[in-house]
Amino acid sequence: MSEALFWLYLINAVLLINHEIDSAYWKEWDLFKLPGGMAGFLLLHFPLLFVILYGLAAVAWQRPSALWFSLLLSAGGIFAFGIHTYFLKQGRAEFDHPVSKFILGATLIVSLCQLAVTVILFARQGWA
C-alpha cells in the first residue's frame, strides 16, 4: 500500500506542478487578486514547491509525517479542481483549454485515489 501511495503522490505532484505552470500562462495572480503580480506569484511558489517535494521525500522514506503531507497534497488537488471549475462556471476564460481541463480533471481523479489510500493508511496507523 505504501508503494501505491508513493506513485499516487508522485503523479499528483507532477499534475499539480504542471497546473502551476499553466497558472502562470493564465496569470492566476489576477484571477485570485494576489498582491505582487508575477513576482509575488513566483515567490509564493518557492515554499509551495518545497512542501510538495519534501512531502514526496517523506512518503518515499515512510516518515511519520508522510500521511499528513499526502493528505495536504490530495486536498490541494481537490481544491484546485473545485475552485477552477467554479471560475469556469462563472464564465471566466482562464483554464478554458482542453489541456488545462485535462490536467484539472486528472488531478481530481488522482487526488481522490490518493486521499482514499491515505485514509486507509491512517486507519492502519502505519505502513503495509
Side-chain angles (χ1 to χ4, degrees), residues 44-119:
L44 174 69
H45 282 77
F46 281 102
L48 181 65
L49 293 174
F50 180 85
V51 167
I52 290 171
L53 296 175
Y54 184 82
L56 178 61
V59 170
W61 298 329
Q62 298 184 10
R63 298 283 194 249
S65 61
L67 297 178
W68 292 105
F69 280 106
S70 182
L71 188 64
L72 184 64
L73 188 70
S74 57
I78 294 165
F79 175 78
F81 175 84
I83 194 70
H84 290 298
T85 299
Y86 169 78
F87 283 129
L88 285 167
K89 288 185 185 291
Q90 296 300 311
R92 298 293 303 239
E94 296 90 346
F95 302 96
D96 194 11
H97 185 277
V99 175
S100 299
K101 289 178 179 178
F102 171 80
I103 290 169
L104 288 167
T107 299
L108 176 65
I109 292 166
V110 174
S111 292
L112 291 171
C113 293
Q114 181 182 343
L115 179 62
V117 170
T118 302
V119 168

